[in-house]
Structures are given as structure tokens and as C-alpha cells.
């Protein structure tokens, strides 16, 4: 809008042309406030229709449901402020629509066009009279000018009317008039730009305040909305603006069509405020209350967000997959779908063909009363007539509401102005084309006899030429809404073109009251004003049927053909989508010209007869019959291996090769490929499946009629045979993505069994489970139980779960499973509850069991104790399709399997039919009874679907009472089968009939196929979801590793047919094994802690820091670790998934741990006492050795003083020292008698000579082997003792050290320097001992964790022993293992430790030794520094320094002041120098120790009690070694002196004992 020299110009923002120049007042300075008086408003509203009341007042055309307000700002353009007049009355400044024309005055200027139509002149005269009577200001005049934009961009007057020119300005010449026109044109262009910019800003504001992410940021993904969030647990009727999108998405995912009715909190507050104002007035006058004028709406208050804007925001902000999901849900809600969508900022038009790909429509066509044809087709490929609806200008009637009356009178397929939440602020729907389909049900009441598409162009059709062009070209019938035909209207040419077109055309005049009138063939007009809506709808329906009957065959609409128009962008042309489609199409081309019933046999050979035969043999293997059971089992196993080989040798089809290659590629189009493949497979199979289903229904009907007539003729048998054949064909023709994944599973299992790749498989077979794991993570379900073979492929499922654990981590999941009879709506309920995509269409129902992951969002994990919900969907019980007949055994297996797997099982019951309930409840109760016997405690919830009156509380209570009664009856029956004494269902499971029974409304609100989902059903789904999450939050779930084990245990137990016995044993064994493993950890924690304590006490005893130890001292030292073990035990028994099973052993294991602790303390005390005794016994030897050492040092010092002047003569010094050393050694040898050698074998022979005389020679040989090994061990230990304690050996080792001291004395070194070197020399042996001991303990911990044979308990160790025996095939070792298992175990442990040290010495052992020696060096240097500081602070002498220094290592090293007895060091007074010398001399000592590190020296350097193998033997072999008196099998209990009976899982063969 522009104001210039008294003229007001209004431009059309969409067409860039000046539409009209509106009323200009001769009084330039009128006050705007005067024109806003109530009287003025009342007078301007007299002639308005109720619909027109929504029209905005500021230069806007009336708002309808099809057109958002033309957002013309009343603000002045800054660049032309000097030429503008003040704003005039808002209510009189209106657009050119007919309603506004009525308020305009007749033009009184001489430039009035004489050719103006009479009806327009009359409108002007009438409105002029009305305005003159109401306006207080005379002299108002109007000038109408029509401008258009030329190709050069200048605004020109319309050529069609020469008289409509800008008026000359008084007597000014033409040049001044041209300048005036130029200013006007510039003002209009600026104003138009301002309008467009303002609208863009509003749209940007909408995108910023409504969605979680803006349109230019990352798109919303399906994974974002499918997770469990706090929003998914709410069903709000109103919310904040920033929560609109989230709540809309959650409701749409649940197929709740009330998603479009969500209000903002601000709207609710307005209503509540107004209501409060009204309610608070206690007294008042009736006249004032009734006749008082309505308050004027505040214009400053922002309008609420339009519901369709919310929908379009979701559409624009979603990625391709979420967009497709949301449009599919909109279709399920029977809403119109976006067909042509202008970009909110660029206005480029997009055709979202991809979003329609998953949508199928089903309808019935009645040919005759007895001939009704059912059709199921994809909306993308279906060819149907199409009716397009347009409007020109502003109209008072709602086009969308009129269309709804044709499609479904009870449902708002198209959103219109009278829908809840509608407002005038719609921003994103202008120019959008929506499409909906009418699908007949084959009844006489159908509005149309065949499927018809309806397209609705929102907004003024004249403003959206591209959309209008596409629709008119593709439509069968066009329907146009307008007020009146006006020759001067800018849309006259377009309407004239429609009229001249051969396609049928129906005019709907909003200002005409006439009934339907046929103007000529295919051309109709209908008046709408003041007419009954039903009459109009009926007339329009008849007119449309008449038009369709004549033109439908000529003009058929096909959705895919819209993509042929060059003016639109097709979303499927995006690179990833296009490549995915091309790959899927290439794969599908391999199926061309192949009968559907033969495809699985030809292209998927591994899952056919071979797989079914293998499953049968597997069941026979678990249920052997006959006398020769072992031979029978061996035969079956051989047959199963041969089947696997045949599977492996079968050629892999090009179809499967292509799929595997695509899935192993890392392209971004992999998800598109999977989606396209599923879509194309559905299209490929739908026609044949529909025909087969029709054939099956016909045969079934024939068989039923023959049975009703008691016809037992050959015809009945023939028909039954045909029915069976059709059923088999139907099963063969069912072909989907799940069958391809099943084939991959069988390829993997066959390769895994023969342990090699298929020759034609281009990738390692080990990569196949990763494909399925990726699909599960992307939201695809995985087949858990093969529905055709009624078998669980354990190898495949375990491998997939392994990969899932690798990719996600060992996450914790809550398992939700569902059971119910066939076609009871199980999958539909799960899909609605969680937004999943379990198969519910394409002619097939769920077969077997499928599992799908649902992620729990981060903000919900504080409430949940798990990371995912695993939903398990199952096939219907009492299915007639499995093997052509009902199979009770299969149903029992399936029910037991899913009930055992799930933490919560939903029992879905369709209606309240007692007979159907009884069938399913008997199976369910028996399954729960079995769970109780194996100590699993799942919970359940009963869902009654399709209940007519879910609000009748009394009826529901009666239904619950009947249900509980039936459950109790079924419990008694099941208890007899399971040999139990339970009498009511509450004895079996914790069940509250008041809270665990839900009643659901029927799914559809009306009769399909046009019925939308019942919103009450959706609300029931929401309530159920909240209840499930509430119960789930109390569960810890199960980690994927344990889920994997449970699946295996459950299925193998079911195969054994003795479920309770088999599964209970399996569960208890598994739980007990875990308990043993934990017990092993607890006991090692205590033993390891005590080893540390023992080592420290040993050092303290050798250093004479302590002289006695009591048990209470050891208990105090061990108290901290003991408390940790008790805490760990408590958590394990309380929180383990099998806590109910483990509870039976809790008390006994607590007692065992207490006993173990007491035994460890007693044993350690005994060792400590022995060390104390040995110390006392060795005291004389140690004192003698110390005396010899110190005497040698002192004599070396004296000798050095004698030869101090010969410092430079090294040869003389060495010769003198050698003579001195020989004399000293001879004296020491003479004074100290040598320690005798020992021969254990000889001594034992002498002692046991009497016994050996009566022993068989073979047994003597066995014992000799043992004694030989023991003799070597003792000999080595004796040699080490002599080297450490016999003076001759000891002194020889110290020669170089003494010579070094001698040299230093000769060179005049200070006493402090020499004393520092002596300290370092004396530290060498203690450091070496400490390093070896600590490394042995560290190595023990490492082997407990890393060595596969030694980690875990004794059962694990025995498995590796048996494996090694089998590999070595040494008969003597077998005999040793059978006869003397404990000795064999010890020997195996020693061998494993030696091998580990040899293999890991450089990488692990030496590294640990270096770490330990570095740690000790730091401690020594720290102690030296602290000792120096201590002496300086206390002004002490060298004795104080030495005492403080040695005390720092009392627990770490065997090093004390007594080692310096007899040594003179009184002259040492430079302690800083002493510290520096130690810092300098210690590294060479460390290097000397390191040089001696070797594989061979590691065990030799250690005392027997501190060796790694002996520590492990002491730990592992403290268990039960009792052997069976019949077969000599070892008791499997790993606890010594256990309370339970001795037991073994398997008896050994007869003859083993001999």
C-alpha cells in the first residue's frame, strides 16, 4: 500500500501488480481514532455474512480457510513520507473482493469508466449511499486504477481500459503527470517489497518459536521422535508454543486425529480469564448483560498459531524418512495429504512423491449384488478419476468443508475455517495442494461407486498459476468457487479457459441461491447462498457422478505422473533417494517373469526344505526315542551336518548377492535402498496376494456351505484339497524383507557350521550379523522365531546380538512381548503405541516372532533403569495357516517362549467372547505357571479390544470379575497338566485385576475404508503406554548378554519337551556358575589382600620390627577388604537378574566366606609364626654373616690406609687386596662349617623302604615320577639357601663390592661417600627380593584376568585341561587325570604359568619388574632425603639417620639397622653428601638387578611360597575333590566342604574306573 497526493494504492503481493487504488479522503487530516468508533464498526458489519466476520480490517481481503490474510502493512514508507497523507478509516480501506466492493461509493470523478458493468455500478451506488449516511465527513470520492507490471518492470496502466488512467493534476502539463506516475510506481514497488519481507519475517519467526530445530538446521529424524521421551508419555489438550510440534508428532504417531486440535496454553488462559470475569459478577442487570456490545478484540495481542502451520512446520523440518512416516500416519488418520508444497521462503514448488510410497488404499467395487471386487493398490500407481477444487477471489463459504461433506461428513479430511483452533494467521498453507481419496465400501450407500481422488488448492487460484495449471491438466472434473462472474476481474480469462476446456466444470456461486443447473454438457452451476448444506452436497454429488461417468475413462489420474511436470521439484530426485531406488529396482528386475509362488524356492533356497528338515531333525535330537539313544543321537547329528553342508553348497542367487553387496556398502543411500526394496516388494506381491486371498475366501465359503449341508460327497474333499493347496500357495507367495533376512541368517548358520565361506559370497560370512544389527539399530524389526519353520535360529540370533553388543555396548533392555489370537490387532496396537512398523498390511499378518528396539532418551534414563525397550511381536495364536491346521503344541511353545522372554507380556483379547478367551487363556496361564516353576517372575496385562462401551464402569467391573473367574478355572486345569497345586491365578503371578486389565474402544470411528481411527482408542493406547512405562521403571531390565543366554536357554528347554525340568536346571546351573565365579572373585580379593599383609609382616619380622602377631591383628588388617567383599555379596544377591534363584544359596555362601576368611587368617598366622621361628633359628647365621661382612669392610679400610700412598699403582693395590681376600676367606671357611647337601629321593627311599617292598612296580613308577619332581624342587631351594647363608658362597659374591670400597678408601674418599656406597650395596639383595615377590603377585592378578584357562572357576579350568588332553593324546596323562585329578590340575597350572611367563616375559613380566624397581628407587630416595632433613632438624648423628632411614622400609624391604652391626661409621657427618652418594650409586645397583632379569631366573629367584603358580594352586585347588565311587568323575562343586550333595552333570562311561 502506498499513499501519494491523495491516492491510496494497494498492490497484489503475489502477482507484483497494482490491483486497485482505493478510497482517498478529501480531508487529509482526519483522525484515525474517530473512524474506530463502535458505531462505525456496527454500520460496516451490517451486510457481512457470518463467515466474513473473520476478515481482518487493515487492507486485507476476507480470510477464508483457503487463503491466509494478505499481510499489507499500514505503516508509511520512509522514503515517501513527505508525499503521504495520514491513514484513513481502517474499515473502509479494503481489497477489491465483492464484499468490499459493496462498501465502496460510486466514483464521482469525470474519469469514471463508462463501460463499467451495470452490476458493478449498482454495487457502487448502493455502497455510496450507505457510506454517505454514516460518514460525518462529506466530499469523499473514489478512483479505481488497474496497473500491471510490464516485462521491463515498469508499472503500466491496463491496456484493456484506456479510461482508467491517473487523473491529471489540475492544469499541469503531461511531464508533471508522468513524474507523478513515476513516484506512485516507486512507492508501490517499495510497499510490495515491504509486504513480502514482513511475511518472510513472520514465517521465520514461526519456524524459530515452534519446532525444536529450524528449517535451515539439521532435519528432525525418525529416531528423534520414536524414542521414549517425557513428551511421549503425555497426552495434552494444550501446551506451550514451543511444545506444539512435539505434542503434534506424538499424537499423529498414535493415529490420533485430534492432533490438529491442540491449543496453546495462552488460548486456554484467555478462555479461563474470560470465564472467571463472567463468573465473578454475582449481580447485574439482564438488559446490560444481554444487549451490551461484545468487546473489541485486542489487535496488539499476537494471534494463536494455526494448526495447519504446525503440520507444515513438521513437514518442512523433517528428513525424508520422518516425512514419509508422518504422511503415512496422516493417511491412516484419513487426513488430506500434501501434494504440491511451495517452499516457505523461495516459493519453489515440491512434489513429495516419496512420502506417498508406503500408502496403500483398499476399496470395494460393486458390479452386481453378488459381484463385489476388492482392490488394494498403492496410491502412487492407482489410476483413479481426480476432482480439483479451486476458488477465485474471497468467498464466504468454506471450500474444504464442502469437500469433506463429499468424502466423509463426520470427519474433517480437509482442515477448514470452522475446525477447532482455526485462526486468521495461517502462514504456510497458501498455495499448498492437498489430496485425499474417497474409497467405496461396496455398499449401496457409497457416495461414489469407485475410488476418486480429490485435490484442494488452498488460497486464491488466481495467485497460484503453476499449481492450477498442473491440477487442471490432470483432473477429470474441475470445481470452482467464486462470488460472481465479473468481466473486469483479473481472473476472468482463467475462468473462461476452464469453461472452454472439454473437461467437466462445476461453478459454485457463494452469492447465488439457485439450485443445480446444467448449462451445457459437462457444465454445471450451483448456488450456495442461504441453502441447506445437505442439499448442496447432494446436488454436487449428483453433478460429480454425472461428470465422472462421462469423463472418467478419458481422464484418469495417476499420482506418479505429477512428477512429469517440469515446474515442480520431486523429492525422489534427491541423490540418495534416487540411488537407493535405482539399486532396489535393479534388484527387483532379477525377479521379472518369475511366478510369485516359486520365487522363494528359486531365490531363497537355504530357508526352504533343507532348513525345515534341519529344524525337524533338531527337535528329534532333543527328543530321542528308542533303546540305542546314543547311536540315534549320533545318527541325527550326522544327518544335520549333511543338511548344513547341502545348504552351504547350494548356489547363492544373484538376488541375494546383490542384496548383500548393497548392505555391505557404506553409502548413505543404504536406508533408502531398504525402504525402496520393501516398497517395491509390497507392490510386486500385492496384486497376486490379493487374488490368492480372494480365491482362498471363495474356497473357504464353498467348504463351509458344503459342511452346513452335511455334504460328505467327493466334492467336499475336492474343495478341501483345493483350499489346502490355495493355503500353501498363499504361504509361498508371501515374500518380504523378512524372508531375505531369514535367508541371510541361514547362509550364516550353514557357513558357521562348516566353518568356511560360501564360494560365491564376496564378503566374509562373519560380516552378515553386522548387517542385521545395523538394521535393528535403524528401526527395522528382526525375526526372532521363523514363523514358517516354527523354530528359533539360535546361531544367527546369538551372532546378531553379539554384533549389537559390540556396536551399542552391553546395554540394559526391558522386554515387552505380546500374545493374542490371530487378527486381534496386536501389531496395530504396538505400531500406534510406539510408532513402529510391524507388518499389518500387504496381505499378510505377522508370522513367528519379531523383535524391535526402542531407545530411551537421555532425559528419561534417570527414571528408567534400562537403555532400550525391546518389543517382541508375535503371530496370532490359534492360527489356521500354520501347516494348514491348528497346532496346539506350537501355540504352547510360542506362548511359553515369549512369556519367558518378556518382563511384561500384553495379553490381547478381541472383544469379550468367552470361548475365544478360554482358548487363549488356557495357553497363557500354563505358560505363566511354567515361569513360576523355573523361578522367572514376569508380569502381564490383559487388553480387551473392540469393547463397545469402555466408559461403563459397572460393566467393566463385571467383565473383570468374569475374566478373573476364567483365569482361576484355567489355572486349575493347567496345574493338573503341570502337576502343581495352584488353585487361582494370583497364586501363579502377582496380578491385580483392578489395574492390570484394560478395555479398549474399537479401532475405527465408523465403517472402513473411510473411517478414521477412533480417538478414544488412541487415548486408550496412551493410557496403556503410561502404565507400561510406569511398571517398567520398577524393573532393572536385562543386559543384552544375559538376554542372549535366556533366548538360548528358553528355546533349548522347549525343544527338550521337559521344559520345567530342563529350563530350571539350565537356569540354576547358569546362576550357580555365576555365583561360583563371583565367589572366586570374593575369595581372591581376601587371599590377595592377605598376601600383601603377609609380605609386609614378613619384612617387619625379618627387620625385627615385630616379634609376635595375634589373629585379631590380622582381622584388623583384613577388615577393610572384608567389608568390601560383604558389600559386593549383598549387591550381587539383591540385584542379579536371577536373584530369586540365587536367594537359596545366599546364607550358605555368606557362611562360606566367613569360614574362608577365618581359614586365611589362621593359615597366615601359622606362616607368620613359622617365619618368627625361622628368624630366631637363623639369627645366629645372620649375625655371623653380618659379622663377617662388617669385619671384611673394616679390614679393607685398614688395608687401604696402609697403601694410601700407592693410589696410582692399581696393579699393586689389586695384588695386595687379592692376598688379603684369600686369607680372610680361608679364615671364614675354617671358622664356619659348610652346610651339607641333601637328597630327598634317597632319604624317602630309606624311610619308606618297608612300604615299597609290598607295592606294585607300576605304582612305584608313578610315585617315583612325583618324587623326582619334588626332589628337584627341594634341591633348588636348598641351593638357594646355601648361596644366601653359607659364608663361603656369600662372601664370594661380595668380592667386587668390597674391592670397590677398598679402592674408594685408597683414593681418599670421605666416610660419608663410602658409607653411602655400602648402603646401596646392602640394599641390592632386599630390592631384588621385593621386586620378584611383588611381580609374582602382580602376575597372578594378570593371569586371573587374561589367561583363558585360569580365569573363572575350576570348571573352566577343567574344560581347558580336557581340551589339552584331547590335543596331546597322551594316555599316561589321561590316567593321571582320572586317578589323581588334583595332582594333574596342579601340574597343568604350573605348565600354564611357565608358558605364560615364557610368552609374555618381554611384554608383561619384565615390564612389571621394571615398574616395581622404579617404585622402590623413588621410595629409597625419598627416605634418604627425609632422613637427612630429620637429622638436621634434630641435630642427630649417623645412627639417627640410619635408624630413620631403615624404618621407612620396615614393611617393604628386609633391611634394618642390624645389617650394620660391627661397622664403624661414627665419622660420617656430611648427610647431604651421603644423600647425594645414594642418589648416584643406586641407579647402577638397579641396573645390575635388571641385567639379571630373565625367564629362567624368575622362578629360581623366588621362594616357593611366593611363586605365581603356587599362589594360583592355593587359590584354585581349594575346592571339592571327592570322586564318584562308580566312574571317578570329580564333584563339580567348587566349594570345599560344601553342604550340598556331591554331583556331576554327566557320568563317565562304564570301565573308566577300571
Amino acid at each position: 500500500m502506498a499513499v501519494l497526493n491523495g491516492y491510496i494504492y494497494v498492490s497484489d503481493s503475489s502477482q507484483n501488480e497494482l490491483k486497485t487504488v482505493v478510497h482517498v479522503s478529501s480531508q487529509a487530516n482526519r483522525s484515525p481514532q474517530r473512524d474506530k468508533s463502535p458505531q462505525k464498526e456496527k454500520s460496516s458489519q451490517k451486510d457481512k455474512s457470518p463467515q466474513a466476520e473473520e476478515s481482518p480490517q487493515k487492507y486485507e481481503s476476507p480470510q477464508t480457510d483457503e487463503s491466509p490474510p494478505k499481510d499489507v502493512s499500514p505503516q508509511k514508507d520512509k522514503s515517501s513520507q513527505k508525499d503521504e497523507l495520514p491513514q484513513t478509516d481502517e474499515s473502509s480501506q479494503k481489497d477489491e473482493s465483492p464484499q468490499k466492493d459493496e462498501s465502496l461509493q460510486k466514483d464521482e470523478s469525470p474519469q469514471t469508466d463508462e463501460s463499467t458493468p451495470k452490476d458493478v455500478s449498482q454495487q457502487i451506488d448502493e455502497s455510496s449511499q450507505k457510506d454517505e449516511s454514516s460518514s460525518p465527513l462529506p466530499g469523499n470520492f473514489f478512483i479505481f486504477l488497474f496497473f500491471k507490471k510490464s516485462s521491463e518492470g515498469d508499472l503500466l496502466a491496463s491496456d484493456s481500459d484506456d479510461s482508467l488512467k491517473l487523473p491529471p493534476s489540475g492544469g499541469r502539463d503531461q511531464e508533471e503527470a508522468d513524474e507523478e506516475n513515476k513516484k506512485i510506481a516507486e512507492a508501490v514497488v517499495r510497499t510490495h517489497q515491504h509486504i513480502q519481507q514482513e511475511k518472510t519475517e513472520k514465517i521465520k519467526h514461526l519456524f524459530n518459536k515452534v519446532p525444536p530445530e529450524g528449517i535451515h538446521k539439521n532435519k528432525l529424524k525418525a529416531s528423534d521422535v520414536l524414542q521414549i521421551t517425557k513428551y511421549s508419555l503425555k497426552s495434552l489438550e494444550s501446551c506451550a508454543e514451543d511444545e506444539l510440534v512435539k505434542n503434534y508428532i506424538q499424537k499423529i504417531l498414535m493415529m490420533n486425529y485430534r492432533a490438529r486440535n491442540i491449543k496453546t496454553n495462552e488460548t486456554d488462559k484467555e478462555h479461563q480469564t474470560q470465564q472467571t470475569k463472567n463468573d465473578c459478577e454475582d449481580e447485574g442487570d439482564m438488559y446490560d448483560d444481554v444487549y451490551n456490545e461484545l468487546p473489541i478484540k485486542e489487535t496488539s495481542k499476537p494471534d494463536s498459531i494455526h494448526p495447519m502451520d504446525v503440520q507444515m512446520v513438521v513437514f518442512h523440518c523433517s528428513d525424508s524418512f520422518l516425512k514419509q512416516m508422518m504422511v503415512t500416519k496422516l493417511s491412516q488418520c484419513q487426513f488430506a495429504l500434501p501434494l504440491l508444497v511451495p517452499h516457505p521462503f523461495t516459493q519453489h514448488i515440491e512434489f513429495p512423491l516419496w512420502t506417498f510410497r508406503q500408502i496403500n488404499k483398499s476399496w470395494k467395487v460393486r458390479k452386481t449384488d453378488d459381484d463385489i471386487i476388492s482392490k488394494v493398490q498403492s496410491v502412487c500407481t492407482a489410476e483413479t478419476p481426480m476432482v480439483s477444487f479451486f476458488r477465485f477471489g474471497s468467498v464466504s463459504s468454506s471450500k474444504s468443508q464442502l469437500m469433506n461433506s463429499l468424502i466423509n461428513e463426520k470427519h474433517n479430511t480437509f482442515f477448514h475455517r470452522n475446525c477447532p483452533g482455526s485462526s486468521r494467521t495461517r502462514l504456510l498453507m497458501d498455495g499448498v495442494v492437498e489430496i485425499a481419496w474417497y474409497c467405496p465400501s461396496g455398499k449401496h450407500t457409497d457416495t461414489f461407486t469407485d475410488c476418486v481422488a480429490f485435490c484442494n488448492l488452498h488460497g486464491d487460484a488466481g495467485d497460484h498459476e503453476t499449481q492450477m495449471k498442473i491440477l487442471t491438466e490432470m483432473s477429470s472434473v474441475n470445481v470452482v468457487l467464486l462470488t460472481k462472474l465479473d468481466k473486469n476481474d483479473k481472473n476472468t480469462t482463467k475462468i473462461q479457459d476452464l469453461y472452454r476446456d472439454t473437461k467437466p466444470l462445476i461453478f459454485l456461486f457463494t452469492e447465488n441461491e439457485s439450485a443445480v443447473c446444467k448449462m451445457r454438457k459437462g457444465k454445471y452451476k450451483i448456488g450456495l447462498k442461504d441453502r441447506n448444506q445437505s442439499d448442496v452436497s447432494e446436488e454436487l454429488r449428483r453433478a460429480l457422478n454425472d461428470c465422472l461417468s462421462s469423463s472418467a475413462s478419458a481422464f484418469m489420474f495417476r499420482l506418479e505422473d505429477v512428477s512429469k511436470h517440469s515446474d515442480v521439484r520431486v523429492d525422489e530426485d534427491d541423490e540418495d533417494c534416487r540411488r537407493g531406488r535405482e539399486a532396489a529396482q535393479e534388484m527387483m528386475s532379477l525377479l521379472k517373469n518369475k511366478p510369485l509362488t516359486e520365487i522363494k524356492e528359486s531365490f531363497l533356497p537355504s530357508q526352504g526344505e533343507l532348513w525345515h528338515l534341519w529344524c525337524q531333525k533338531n527337535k528329534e535330537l532333543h527328543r530321542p526315542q528308542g533303546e540305542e539313544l546314543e547311536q540315534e543321537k549320533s545318527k541325527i547329528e550326522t544327518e544335520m551336518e549333511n543338511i548344513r553342508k547341502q545348504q552351504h553348497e547350494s548356489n547363492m542367487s544373484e538376488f541375494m548377492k546383490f542384496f548383500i553387496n548393497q548392505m555391505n556398502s557404506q553409502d548413505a543411500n543404504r536406508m533408502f535402498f531398504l525402504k525402496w526394496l520393501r516398497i517395491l516388494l509390497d507392490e510386486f506381491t500385492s496384486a497376486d496376494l490379493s487374488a490368492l486371498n480372494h480365491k482362498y475366501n471363495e474356497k473357504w465359503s464353498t467348504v463351509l456351505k458344503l459342511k452346513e449341508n452335511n455334504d460328505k460327497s467327493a466334492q467336499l474333499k475336492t474343495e478341501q484339497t483345493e483350499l489346502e493347496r490355495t493355503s500353501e500357495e498363499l504361504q509361498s507367495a508371501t515374500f518380504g524383507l523378512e524372508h531375505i533376512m531369514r535367508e541371510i541368517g541361514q547362509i550364516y548358520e550353514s557357513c558357521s557350521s562348516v566353518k568356511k565361506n560360501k564360494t560365491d559370497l564376496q564378503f566374509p560370512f562373519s560380516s552378515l550379523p553386522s548387517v542385521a544389527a545395523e538394521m535393528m539399530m535403524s528401526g527395522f524389526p528382526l525375526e526372532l522365531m521363523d514363523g514358517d519353520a516354527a523354530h528359533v535360529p539360535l546361531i544367527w540370533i546369538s551372532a546378531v546380538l553379539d554384533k549389537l553388543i559390540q556396536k551399542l555396548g552391553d546395554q540394559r533392555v526391558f522386554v515387552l512381548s505380546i500374545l493374542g489370537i490371530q487378527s486381534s490387532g496386536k501389531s496395530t496396537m504396538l505400531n500406534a503405541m510406539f510408532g513402529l512398523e510391524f507388518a499389518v498390511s500387504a496381505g499378510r499378518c505377522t508370522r513367528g516372532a519379531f523383535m524391535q528396539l526402542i531407545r530411551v532418551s537421555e532425559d528419561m534414563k534417570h527414571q528408567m533403569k534400562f537403555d532400550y525397550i525391546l518389543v517382541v511381536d508375535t503371530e496370532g495364536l490359534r492360527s489356521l495357516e500354520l501347516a494348514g491346521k491348528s497346532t496346539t503344541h506350537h501355540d504352547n511353545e510360542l506362548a511359553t517362549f515369549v512369556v519367558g522372554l518378556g518382563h511384561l507380556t500384553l495379553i490381547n483379547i478381541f472383544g469379550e467372547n468367552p470361548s475365544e478367551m478360554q482358548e487363549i487363556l488356557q495357553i497363557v496361564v500354563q505358560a505363566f505357571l511354567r515361569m513360576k516353576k523355573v523361578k522367572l517372575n514376569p508380569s502381564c496385562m490383559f487388553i480387551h479390544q473392540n469393547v463397545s462401551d469402555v466408559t461403563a464402569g459397572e460393566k467393566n467391573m463385571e467383565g473383570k470379575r468374569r475374566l478373573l473367574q476364567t483365569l482361576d478355572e484355567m489355572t486349575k486345569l493347567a496345574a493338573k497338566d503341570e502337576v502343581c497345586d495352584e488353585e487361582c491365578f494370583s497364586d501363579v503371578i502377582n496380578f491385580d485385576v483392578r489395574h492390570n486389565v484394560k478395555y479398549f474402544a474399537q479401532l475405527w470411528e465408523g465403517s472402513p475404508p473411510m473411517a478414521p481411527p477412533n480417538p478414544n482408542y488412541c487415548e486408550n493406547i496412551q493410557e496403556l503406554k503410561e502404565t507400561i512405562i510406569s511398571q517398567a521403571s520398577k524393573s532393572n531390565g536385562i543386559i543384552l548378554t544375559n538376554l542372549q543366554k535366556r533366548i538360548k536357554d528358553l528355546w533349548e528347554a522347549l525343544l527338550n519337551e521337559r521344559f520345567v525340568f530342563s529350563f530350571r536346571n539350565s537356569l540354576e546351573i547358569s546362576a550357580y556358575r555365576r555365583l561360583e565365579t563371583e565367589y572366586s572373585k570374593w575369595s581372591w580379593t581376601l587371599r590377595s589382600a592377605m598376601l600383601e599383609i603377609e609380605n609386609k609382616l614378613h619384612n617387619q619380622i625379618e627387620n625385627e620390627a615385630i616379634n609376635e602377631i595375634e589373629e585379631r591383628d590380622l582381622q584388623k588388617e583384613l577388615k577393610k577388604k572384608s567389608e568390601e567383599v560383604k558389600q559386593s555379596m549383598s549387591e550381587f544377591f539383591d540385584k542379579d537378574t536371577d536373584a530369586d534363584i540365587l536367594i537359596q544359596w545366599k546364607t550358605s555362601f555368606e557362611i562360606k566366606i566367613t569360614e574362608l576368611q577365618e581359614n586365611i587368617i589362621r593359615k597366615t598366622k601359622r606362616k607368620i609364626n613359622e617365619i618368627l621361628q625361622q628368624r630366631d633359628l637363623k639369627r645366629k647365621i645372620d649375625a655371623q654373616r653380618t659379622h663377617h661382612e662388617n669385619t671384611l669392610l673394616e679390614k679393607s679400610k685398614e688395608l687401604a690406609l696402609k697403601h694410601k700412598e700407592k693410589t696410582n699403582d692399581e696393579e699393586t693395590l689389586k695384588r695386595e687386596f687379592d692376598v688379603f681376600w684369600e686369607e680372610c676367606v680361608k679364615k671364614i671357611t675354617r671358622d664356619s662349617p659348610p652346610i651339607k647337601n641333601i637328597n630327598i629321593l634317597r632319604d624317602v627311599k630309606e624311610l619308606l623302604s618297608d612300604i615299597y617292598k609290598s607295592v606294585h612296580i607300576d605304582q612305584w613308577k608313578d610315585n617315583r615320577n612325583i618324587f623326582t619332581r619334588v626332589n628337584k624342587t627341594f634341591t633348588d631351594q636348598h641351593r638357594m639357601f646355601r648361596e644366601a647363608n653359607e659364608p663361603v658362597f656369600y662372601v664370594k659374591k661380595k668380592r667386587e663390592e668390597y674391592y670397590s670400597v677398598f679402592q674408594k678408601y685408597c683414593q681418599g674418599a670421605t666416610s660419608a661417600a663410602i658409607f653411602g656406597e655400602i648402603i646401596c650395596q646392602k640394599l641390592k639383595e632386599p630390592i631384588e627380593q621385593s621386586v620378584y615377590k611383588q611381580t609374582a603377585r602382580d602376575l597372578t592378578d594378570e593371569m586371573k584376568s587374561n589367561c583363558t584357562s585360569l580365569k573363572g572357576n575350576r570348571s573352566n579350568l577343567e574344560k581347558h585341561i580336557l581340551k589339552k588332553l584331547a590335543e596331546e593324546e597322551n594316555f599316561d596323562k589321561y590316567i593321571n587325570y582320572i586317578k589323581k585329578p588334583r595332582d594333574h590340575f596342579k601340574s597343568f597350572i604350573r605348565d600354564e604359568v611357565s608358558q605364560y611367563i615364557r610368552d609374555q616375559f618381554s611384554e608383561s613380566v619384565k615390564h612389571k619388574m621394571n615398574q616395581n624397581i622404579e617404585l622402590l628407587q623413588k621410595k629409597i630416595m625419598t627416605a634418604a632425603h627425609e632422613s637427612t632433613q630429620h637429622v638436621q632438624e634434630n641435630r642427630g648423628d649417623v645412627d639417627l639417620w640410619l635408624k630413620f632411614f631403615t624404618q621407612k622400609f620396615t614393611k617393604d624391604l628386609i633391611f634394618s639397622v642390624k645389617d650394620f652391626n660391627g661397622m664403624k661409621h661414627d665419622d660420617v657427618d656430611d648427610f647431604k653428601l651421603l644423600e647425594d652418594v645414594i642418589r648416584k650409586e643406586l641407579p647402577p645397583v638397579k641396573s645390575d638387578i635388571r641385567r639379571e632379569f630373565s625367564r629362567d631366573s624368575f622362578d629360581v629367584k623366588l621362594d616357593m611360597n611366593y611363586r605365581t603358580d603356587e599362589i594360583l594352586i592355593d587359590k584354585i585347588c581349594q575346592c571339592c575333590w571327592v570322586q564318584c565311587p562308580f566312574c571317578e568323575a570329580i564333584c563339580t562343586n567348587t566349594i570345599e566342604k560344601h553342604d550340598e550333595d556331591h554331583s556331576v552333570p554327566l557320568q563317565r562311561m562304564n570301565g573308566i574306573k577300571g
Side-chain angles (χ1 to χ4, degrees), residues 350-362:
E350 181 185 56
F351 169 39
L353 176 58
W354 167 252
T355 64
F356 290 87
R357 286 297 182 182
Q358 287 187 320
I359 302 173
N360 296 312
K361 290 291 183 182
S362 59

Side-chain angles (χ1 to χ4, degrees), residues 409 531-539:
E409 293 182 356
R531 298 196 59 204
N532 183 287
Q533 182 75 26
S534 299
D535 294 341
V536 172
S537 299
E538 180 59 27
E539 290 177 1

Side-chain angles (χ1 to χ4, degrees), residues 24 162 814 1099 1362:
V24 179
D162 294 333
F814 177 86
N1099 293 336
L1362 291 171

Side-chain angles (χ1 to χ4, degrees), residues 121 675 1154 1169:
S121 300
K675 289 279 189 178
T1154 303
N1169 288 334

